[in-house]
Amino acid sequence: GNGEIVVNEANFVRKCIAAESSQDDLWGKLICTNFKISFITHNSIPQQKFQYVHHLLGEHDIPLACVDQVVTVNDAKGKQKVLGSNQKLKFNPTELILYCKDFRIVRFRFDEAGPESAKKVCLAIAHYSQPADPQLLFGFEFAQSLERVNGVDPGGGCQTPLFDRPSDWDREIKRTGASEWRVCSINEGYTVSPSLPEYFVVPASMADLDLKQYACSYTGQRIPMWCWNHSNGSSLVRMSSICDVQQQRKLDQRVSSAITKSHPQRSEVLTSDLDKTLPSIQEVQAALIKLRQSCVIEPFEESEEKWLSSMENSRWTEYVRFSLICSSSLEEDRDLCCVVASLVQLMLDPHCRSLVGFQALVQKEWVMAGHRFLDRCNHLKKNDKEEAPLFLLFLDCVWQLMNQYPAAFEFTETYLTVLSDSMWIPVFSTFLFNCPQQRAEYSREFVHSKSIPLGNEQALKFPPVWDWSQQFTLKDQTLFNNPLYVGKGATCVQNGTVKTFRRTKQRNYSSTVRGVPSALKNGLRGDVDTLSRRNSLVARLRPDFSQAREVTETPCERFTREWFSRPTDLQGLLLPQLLPTHVTLWRLYFLRWVPEASISQGGAITAFHKLSLLADEIESLQNQLRQYNTSGGVGGTPASTPNPAHPEHGRMYFKCTPSPNRAASTPEYLSSSFPFSPVGNLCRRSILGTPLTKFLNGAKIWLSTETLANETV
């Protein structure tokens, strides 16, 4: 029904579960479709007692877009080959190893399978995981199938604004109080800039005619585009570099003048050139590859010091710090500009820390602003130099802020992880294209080539990722809700009456240390490499006022020092702590598939479980109070009845049970990888008894074709 077709399959295939023993392996059928690699088995995985339900993917499924490398092995001949698209395989494979973009490594054995069917299914997987044309991405078939279902509007139930119409931008202007800005429609039909949305926001004082004239001087014809307004009248504007050097000064003056006019105090414009302050996209990609090497390939038995050293050498957490530093203090503005523009709003605007607000932020600053998801995800496997995990870098920065201010965000790290994983499910408009214009163009071409009758639309509608019902049940979507969240809509009980939470200055709930001296510049002090014990950390961070008098503070340093000396208002500005010790590895995302790193009934999930039970009990008591008050409290009937609401109606995934002996013990199935399971992912251990031992240990980066040059057939 959803456009998926089986391309090839092999029976009697073994999925390897443990690295050093085959007794727990699963037997079943390996299937390659035009969407995913499926493994159908009637065995159940040992040790696994929990699995969330995914509407598009089964327990053992891997979307083809998630496959990074396909490696075939023949034990007897001691041969292995990285399979590209349309390649031949001169030996019969005894083993298939799939290296995935989400850090999974999955291994299948063909000892009992027919040699020809094993070879064919491997070739099919290699071919279909590397589509030569965008229209071969499964999303096109999926969108077409949604059209056939009585004209279903994909994402119709989605509450997140998509910013594909003027009214969405108008609402955002009103929400932020940007009265001196207006929606402009000069790019309707993408006639001015191919990578900007059809509608965007510009200073009210700039005429459409002038904007059209200026466009040709900017890289990609990307005229300056409004992002957001602060309550003090300041605006955040993104722009690409000016390619016409002769026009640069004149353009800078005109644009700066128009932006200044839009500020109530006519403040001057401050510009930041991200090209000079942030790493290149190639450096970010190289850092992720090195981090992957440390997390999932190298032996886990090595000393902790060596592991931490290899983590540091990857420079990933350093780039996360750089991104946060830039945001709290240009190329064509479609890459790192997306990261910084989003983080600035996340730190300044509490609306962006709600679930709907965060989704609107990503839609506005990434999808509609033309981040090249098709190229940066390398969905077509065409150009490795264009691949870069900038969206993952952004999500890691968000997680760092969540880690420091756990009560300030409505959503959880599970939500961020699932959002990142959705990049590799190629059906969502959010992550399939380089810009809105490309989506419209490819969609029209597909409709024309297939002669699909669409009425007036003339273009396919792809569901946005924000319509989570495409992937998860309502029950599983409650894993996205943070029990600690203190938002504007939070309620409290006073004198038996349920009231809306009144905003007061709050102490920060995180374990960060206050009182940072100005010399630290909020984590930018060069001589601080590692801070071992907590006592030494406090000693190093204690303000030295005699030194502070000697050092001349910049206004920015003074503001930061004063901000950190006050209690945090979770509905106000959030500044990240930026010492190297404050920016840590996002364990759930990077280590969830590593069996050795999984802590049974341990990790952050145990606290999350207890807090969820507490939040659910409070919600239940509030419901009872409401019922009691509406019935006037007569007869005490509502109060004597346990919460009658259906369990699926609560915000929390873990429910508080009203039984008398309800000791809230941690469920057996919980682990630090929850809700993911590392069982069956063969990260780092050497595989004994096969020629792969030296092969895996010698692999520098995943399994590069260069590594195999001497051994391939």
Side-chain angles (χ1 to χ4, degrees):
N2 67 357
E4 187 176 10
I5 53 168
V6 172
V7 177
N8 220 302
E9 58 186 52
N11 286 303
F12 309 111
V13 176
R14 204 169 87 220
K15 181 179 180 181
C16 303
I17 294 300
E20 278 129 22
S21 152
S22 61
Q23 66 182 27
D24 292 330
D25 288 355
L26 306 178
W27 289 90
K29 180 191 286 190
L30 183 63
I31 300 171
C32 174
T33 76
N34 57 342
F35 167 46
K36 63 181 188 257
I37 299 148
S38 282
F39 182 72
I40 310 293
T41 181
H42 297 299
N43 308 131
S44 58
I45 287 194
Q47 311 148 336
Q48 188 165 347
K49 302 179 183 70
F50 168 83
Q51 180 73 33
Y52 63 86
V53 178
H54 197 291
H55 294 327
L56 299 175
L57 298 169
E59 189 176 355
H60 301 282
D61 292 354
I62 303 164
L64 290 164
C66 190
V67 175
D68 199 26
Q69 218 159 50
V70 180
V71 178
T72 49
V73 181
N74 182 290
D75 289 346
K77 296 182 179 179
K79 290 175 179 173
Q80 53 271 319
K81 179 168 184 166
V82 176
L83 278 183
S85 183
N86 290 322
Q87 282 190 332
K88 289 181 179 174
L89 189 56
K90 293 181 182 173
F91 59 81
N92 291 326
T94 54
E95 197 163 310
L96 168 70
I97 306 172
L98 300 173
Y99 289 78
C100 304
K101 293 194 174 187
D102 62 4
F103 281 36
R104 274 183 292 177
I105 303 175
V106 186
R107 178 175 163 235
F108 299 98
R109 296 277 309 172
F110 299 118
D111 303 292
E112 308 294 327
E116 275 305 309
S117 64
K119 184 190 279 191
K120 281 179 181 172
V121 81
C122 290
L123 290 168
I125 289 168
H127 179 69
Y128 279 86
S129 63
Q130 301 172 69
D133 185 271
Q135 291 182 23
L136 295 174
L137 290 165
F138 178 67
F140 286 88
E141 295 292 341
F142 187 78
Q144 186 186 349
S145 73
L146 291 179
E147 291 285 347
R148 284 199 296 267
V149 184
N150 304 321
V152 168
D153 179 13
C158 170
Q159 301 300 307
T160 303
L162 299 180
F163 295 99
D164 56 355
R165 59 200 65 187
S167 56
D168 287 347
W169 290 102
D170 272 325
R171 271 191 290 273
E172 187 68 358
I173 286 173
K174 286 189 179 72
R175 186 187 74 77
T176 59
S179 55
E180 297 299 318
W181 297 79
R182 67 180 179 90
V183 182
C184 102
S185 55
I186 59 168
N187 203 37
E188 275 184 344
Y190 309 101
T191 51
V192 172
S193 170
S195 63
L196 284 177
E198 290 190 282
Y199 309 101
F200 52 94
V201 175
V202 295
S205 62
M206 291 187 89
D208 283 357
L209 209 61
D210 291 338
L211 287 168
K212 284 181 182 176
Q213 189 185 335
Y214 300 159
C216 54
S217 299
Y218 285 94
T219 306
Q221 294 79 52
R222 291 177 64 85
I223 30 194
M225 177 178 163
W226 174 89
C227 301
W228 176 80
N229 243 55
H230 190 272
S231 53
N232 68 7
S234 299
S235 302
L236 181 66
V237 180
R238 59 192 288 170
M239 62 181 83
S240 63
S241 50
I242 297 170
C243 50
D244 186 343
V245 183
Q246 293 176 329
Q247 294 289 318
Q248 181 148 8
R249 196 167 172 191
K250 186 173 84 174
L251 264 182
D252 273 344
Q253 282 176 345
R254 287 191 179 176
V255 171
S256 295
S257 168
I259 294 171
T260 298
K261 280 181 192 169
S262 70
H263 192 283
Q265 274 80 49
R266 301 293 188 262
S267 297
E268 63 180 89
V269 175
L270 298 172
T271 58
S272 175
D273 188 345
L274 299 185
D275 267 354
K276 293 171 184 165
T277 50
L278 286 170
S280 69
I281 62 164
Q282 289 80 15
E283 287 170 321
V284 176
Q285 174 68 358
L288 185 75
I289 287 170
K290 285 180 186 168
L291 181 66
R292 182 168 62 185
Q293 181 77 7
S294 302
C295 284
V296 300
I297 298 255
E298 288 167 357
F300 206 59
E301 290 81 3
E302 290 178 357
S303 70
E304 187 182 352
E305 281 179 25
K306 188 170 180 184
W307 187 76
L308 289 170
S309 169
S310 68
M311 295 289 300
E312 190 179 340
N313 290 340
S314 77
R315 304 193 72 187
W316 176 264
T317 49
E318 186 184 330
Y319 293 157
V320 170
R321 278 185 70 229
F322 283 166
S323 303
L324 288 164
I325 287 164
C326 268
S327 308
S328 53
S329 49
L330 265 178
E331 27 72 70
E332 189 186 357
D333 61 318
R334 298 170 67 183
D335 286 314
L336 289 155
C337 205
C338 300
V339 178
V340 173
S342 305
L343 288 174
V344 167
Q345 292 170 69
L346 202 70
M347 292 176 194
L348 287 165
D349 189 346
H351 173 71
C352 297
R353 306 194 283 263
S354 69
L355 186 65
V356 169
F358 180 76
Q359 295 184 163
L361 175 71
V362 173
Q363 182 69 24
K364 176 166 63 88
E365 299 301 340
W366 292 79
V367 183
M368 298 315 283
H371 178 65
R372 294 184 182 88
F373 278 109
L374 184 69
D375 293 346
R376 297 295 175 255
C377 294
N378 203 9
H379 284 318
L380 303 179
K381 312 284 197 299
K382 267 185 178 173
N383 190 345
D384 290 349
K385 288 179 182 170
E386 290 288 311
E387 187 172 344
L390 297 174
F391 190 62
L392 178 60
L393 179 73
F394 164 64
L395 294 181
D396 197 328
C397 292
V398 177
W399 178 81
Q400 302 291 340
L401 282 165
M402 284 172 67
N403 196 37
Q404 293 184 22
Y405 301 100
F409 294 83
E410 187 177 13
F411 44 89
T412 60
E413 64 173 329
T414 296
Y415 167 80
L416 293 178
T417 307
V418 164
L419 180 56
S420 177
D421 288 347
S422 300
M423 275 195 290
W424 313 120
I425 301 175
V427 302
F428 304 114
S429 58
T430 320
F431 302 125
L432 263 185
F433 305 100
N434 285 335
C435 57
Q437 180 270 341
Q438 190 187 62
R439 182 182 70 202
E441 181 190 335
Y442 285 174
S443 173
R444 275 196 306 271
E445 288 173 3
F446 182 80
V447 166
H448 183 70
S449 68
K450 300 268 183 175
S451 304
I452 303 167
L454 287 181
N456 298 329
E457 286 291 326
Q458 294 307 304
L460 285 176
K461 286 185 180 175
F462 296 82
V465 73
W466 319 123
D467 180 7
W468 290 106
S469 64
Q470 296 281 346
Q471 295 190 67
F472 301 107
T473 62
L474 286 173
K475 161 76 174 167
D476 285 343
Q477 285 176 55
T478 57
L479 284 167
F480 298 169
N481 298 331
N482 176 12
L484 271 177
Y485 178 56
V486 180
K488 280 186 176 171
T491 53
C492 65
V493 179
Q494 285 182 358
N495 302 325
T497 311
V498 180
K499 294 184 176 179
T500 302
F501 183 83
R502 293 184 70 81
R503 181 65 41 217
T504 55
K505 289 280 181 185
Q506 298 248 344
R507 288 224 163 263
N508 181 22
Y509 294 112
S510 70
S511 58
T512 49
V513 182
R514 299 274 176 210
V516 182
S518 61
L520 277 176
K521 299 182 185 175
N522 191 25
L524 297 178
R525 183 154 129 187
D527 62 328
V528 180
D529 289 326
T530 54
L531 298 164
S532 49
R533 295 186 312 283
R534 183 173 172 80
N535 290 345
S536 65
L537 174 64
V538 174
R540 293 293 291 275
L541 294 184
R542 191 171 291 130
D544 181 349
F545 292 110
S546 61
Q547 182 190 17
R549 282 192 210 98
E550 294 164 23
V551 177
T552 309
E553 272 186 325
T554 66
C556 180
E557 287 167 4
R558 186 170 66 251
F559 174 84
T560 303
R561 177 176 56 78
E562 289 173 355
W563 188 89
F564 274 108
S565 70
R566 294 193 299 267
T568 308
D569 175 8
L570 296 177
Q571 289 294 299
L573 168 68
L574 296 185
L575 283 182
Q577 297 267 28
L578 290 168
L579 287 171
T581 46
H582 292 129
V583 179
T584 59
L585 181 73
W586 181 10
R587 292 180 62 88
L588 179 68
Y589 184 86
F590 293 112
L591 297 178
R592 61 190 156 141
W593 306 121
V594 182
E596 296 89 342
S598 182
I599 308 164
S600 180
Q601 293 186 293
I605 190 65
T606 52
F608 179 84
H609 170 250
K610 299 273 192 299
L611 288 165
S612 298
L613 296 178
L614 190 60
D616 186 62
E617 187 168 15
I618 291 168
E619 191 178 351
S620 167
L621 289 169
Q622 286 173 348
N623 288 337
Q624 288 180 44
L625 267 173
R626 281 195 191 91
Q627 289 169 16
Y628 187 83
N629 288 337
T630 49
S631 65
V634 180
T637 313
S640 62
T641 312
N643 180 18
H646 297 296
E648 64 268 19
H649 289 171
R651 280 187 69 252
M652 293 298 107
Y653 182 83
F654 297 108
K655 302 294 177 191
C656 172
T657 51
S659 56
N661 55 347
R662 52 166 194 178
S665 59
T666 305
E668 279 182 31
Y669 59 76
L670 281 190
S671 78
S672 55
S673 295
F674 181 88
F676 310 96
S677 170
V679 177
N681 285 291
L682 300 173
C683 298
R684 54 175 54 81
R685 285 273 171 88
S686 60
I687 300 163
L688 302 179
T690 79
L692 273 178
T693 310
K694 71 178 178 70
F695 172 60
L696 276 175
N697 288 343
K700 292 285 181 234
I701 292 166
W702 246 197
L703 298 170
S704 69
T705 314
E706 291 76 12
T707 308
L708 300 173
N710 302 325
E711 303 184 52
T712 53
V713 174

